[in-house]
């Protein structure tokens, strides 16, 4: 959605103009009149308490490419493969990137990043997907059992009204499967997405048992977008290991702090959305909410919040389809517990992808965030440590 396509050029004049266009796209997906805003989400009661400890950011210059379609820019999703190796996807080009992240195994600090290989995506016929259809691939997960990835897309081909999930072979990028929202009855409700507010995230349980995605912004039949006083609701979509949709749960987004007051071209704009999901070993689900709104002074600010999510006791809302919507239904949403929050100014800090990595020496897991860098070769990662996982759950089998 518009928030995932936020642009952060280095000059304030260009910044204001480009961000204005981004938010205009958001405004084009206005909520239905009368839709009710969501109440605050309940807190988990009995889930294991994990903790996140920030380690720090790592800024670096990525290699450029003569073919811009192969450049590792605007990275929006990342997944761990094994050891120090990861796979990433950007929201501008139909290309995924293998990379190596060198971590300090004592602290989880990122010491270096090396891009290994660009893998252009291909259709089911083996033909390269044109770069004109490269935008809005937002999340990626890796399946070590068959060496494939599945990528969440806010489009379905050239159709921007419906999101989709495409699975690809790692070796040559060829599409092996396409999950559409105009097929299964359970998935049809996602065809009521707001423009660019569809599948921003995707994650696979490390033991392979389940896959999750979610719409970034509320569906038009479910609720209005968040405001400065009320939150909103999106749907967590659960699949089984074979990508069969099996359940949906409501997830309540936070309100944003306040609308932007300055600069004048951005006055009145603000947004919050669900940018990423990540399943940890043992089945613990994390959610990343990314807000672009005004800070205490009304200046533009990026706020990143990571929550632990619990669906125990939540209502399976998969039977509440597009003819009714959640704004007319009674249900219990998933609960969530805030684990970490950080505010950034308008720097290269649009963090919207998450991945774990190899277990650290003290048993913690590293958590790697990747920022959409608005194009070019300036990149940013941020690392944290995850503690509190049971020892037998702390590292996941990969292959």
């Amino acid at each position: 959605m518009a928030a995932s396509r936020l642009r952060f050029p280095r000059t304030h004049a260009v910044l204001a103009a480009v961000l204005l266009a981004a938010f205009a796209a958001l405004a084009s997906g206005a909520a239905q009149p009368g839709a009710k805003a969501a109440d605050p989400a309940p807190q988990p009661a009995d889930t294991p308490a994990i903790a996140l400890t920030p380690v720090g950011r790592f800024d670096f210059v990525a290699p450029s490419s003569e073919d811009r379609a192969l450049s590792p820019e605007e990275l929006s999703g990342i997944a761990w493969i094994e050891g120090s190796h990861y796979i990433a996807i950007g929201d501008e080009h139909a290309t995924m990137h293998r990379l190596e992240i060198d971590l300090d195994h004592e602290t989880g600090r990122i010491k270096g990043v090396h891009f290994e290989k660009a893998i252009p995506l291909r259709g089911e016929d083996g033909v390269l997907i044109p770069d004109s259809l490269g935008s809005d691939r937002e999340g990626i997960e890796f399946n070590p059992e068959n060496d494939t990835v599945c990528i969440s897309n806010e489009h379905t081909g050239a159709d921007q009204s419906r999101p989709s999930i495409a699975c690809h072979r790692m070796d040559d990028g060829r599409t092996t499967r396409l999950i559409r929202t105009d097929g299964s009855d359970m998935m049809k409700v996602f065809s009521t997405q707001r423009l660019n507010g569809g599948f921003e995230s995707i994650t696979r349980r490390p033991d392979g048992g389940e896959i999750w995605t979610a719409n970034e912004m509320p569906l038009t039949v479910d609720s209005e977008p968040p405001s400065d006083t009320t939150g909103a609701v999106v749907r967590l979509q659960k699949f089984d290991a074979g990508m069969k949709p099996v359940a949906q749960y409501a997830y309540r987004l936070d309100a944003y702090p306040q609308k932007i007051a300055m600069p004048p071209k951005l006055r009145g704009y603000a947004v919050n959305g669900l940018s990423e999901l990540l399943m940890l070993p043992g089945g613990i689900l994390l959610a990343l909410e990314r807000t672009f709104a005004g800070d205490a002074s009304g200046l533009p600010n990026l706020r990143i919040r990571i929550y632990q999510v619990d669906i125990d006791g939540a209502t399976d809302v998969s039977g509440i389809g597009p003819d009714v919507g959640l704004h007319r239904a009674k249900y219990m949403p998933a609960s969530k517990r805030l684990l970490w929050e950080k505010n950034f100014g308008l720097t290269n800090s649009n963090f919207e992808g998450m991945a774990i990595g190899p277990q650290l020496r003290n048993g913690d897991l590293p958590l790697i965030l990747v920022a959409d860098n608005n194009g070019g070769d300036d990149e940013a990662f941020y690392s944290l440590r995850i503690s509190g996982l049971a020892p037998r759950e702390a590292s996941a089998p990969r292959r």
Side-chain angles (χ1 to χ4, degrees), residues 87 89 94-96 117-129 137 140-141 146-151 165-178:
I87 187 75
I89 187 70
T95 304
M96 52 188 177
K117 181 181 180 182
I119 307 171
L121 300 180
R122 301 174 182 271
E124 294 176 291
D125 56 3
V127 176
L128 287 173
I129 296 173
R137 287 171 174 82
I140 189 168
E141 61 85 14
N146 56 18
D147 208 34
T148 62
V149 298
C150 289
I151 297 171
I165 296 172
C167 300
H168 302 266
R169 297 193 306 219
M170 279 281 289
D171 58 351
D172 61 3
R174 187 166 183 161
T175 302
T176 60
R177 188 174 183 182
L178 179 65

Side-chain angles (χ1 to χ4, degrees), residues 74-76 348-353 369-373 379-381:
E74 304 197 30
L75 302 179
S76 57
N348 182 20
S349 303
N350 187 23
F351 293 102
E352 58 179 31
L369 310 184
V370 62
D372 183 336
N373 71 341
E379 302 280 2
F381 287 74

Side-chain angles (χ1 to χ4, degrees), residues 371-383:
D372 183 336
N373 71 341
N374 183 38
D377 53 10
D378 290 340
E379 302 280 2
F381 287 74
Y382 198 99
S383 62

Side-chain angles (χ1 to χ4, degrees), residues 310-322:
D310 187 3
I311 62 168
D312 286 348
T315 306
D316 181 353
V317 298
S318 60
I320 305 174

